[in-house]
Amino acid sequence: QERSKMEKGIILLLFSMVTLVSARGFVSIALCPRLYAPPNGHVIVNGLGYGGMARYSCRSGFILVPAISRIRQCLYGGYWTSVPPVCRPLVTRLPSLVEIICPQLAAPVNGEVAVSGSNPGDTASYTCISSYSVTP
């Protein structure tokens, strides 16, 4: 009696385990869990079974951390290599390492200068003594 291909090999999916029933016996293969793209990133998965690969990337302006997690592989036990990566901003605001101080201003001849401070954004006002005027 000839058996159909369907009868010779049946695949059952139960609790994320694939069990292949054939004339040779039972073989179990664990599936890896579904993967999700990190915020500001993408993931392309080509399979959840043993040997499946996941490739991660980030949107423009972001970098994948840790870089070793760019490619992950589904292993025999049903788990992925490496840790799930995240996408971090490529340019971060660095703390100011140099304090900027404006130079002291000299008063003009026959006049005075008043400054509001010595930091960027502070102002200076020039005035003249009587009978003199400010000219550019």
Side-chain angles (χ1 to χ4, degrees), residues 76-88:
Y76 179 74
Y79 58 94
W80 292 100
T81 58
S82 185
V83 296
V86 294
C87 293
R88 301 254 190 245

Side-chain angles (χ1 to χ4, degrees), residues 22-106:
S22 70
R24 296 181 185 164
F26 294 93
V27 178
S28 294
I29 303 170
L31 294 177
C32 285
R34 182 175 177 201
L35 296 175
Y36 298 92
N40 299 304
H42 312 280
V43 64
I44 298 171
V45 181
N46 72 356
L48 297 177
Y50 174 72
M53 300 291 277
R55 287 175 175 76
Y56 289 85
S57 60
C58 294
R59 286 186 9 211
S60 179
F62 292 85
I63 188 169
L64 204 65
V65 177
I68 190 121
S69 294
R70 189 176 69 81
I71 296 177
R72 298 175 70 196
Q73 185 175 13
C74 179
L75 299 179
Y76 179 74
Y79 58 94
W80 292 100
T81 58
S82 185
V83 296
V86 294
C87 293
R88 301 254 190 245
L90 185 60
V91 177
T92 58
R93 186 173 179 199
L94 299 175
S96 176
L97 301 177
V98 178
E99 183 179 358
I100 299 173
I101 299 175
C102 296
Q104 187 174 0
L105 299 174

Side-chain angles (χ1 to χ4, degrees), residues 3 5-10 20-27:
R3 290 189 179 183
K5 288 184 181 181
M6 183 79 142
E7 292 172 329
K8 289 181 181 176
I10 300 172
L20 179 62
V21 182
S22 70
R24 296 181 185 164
F26 294 93
V27 178

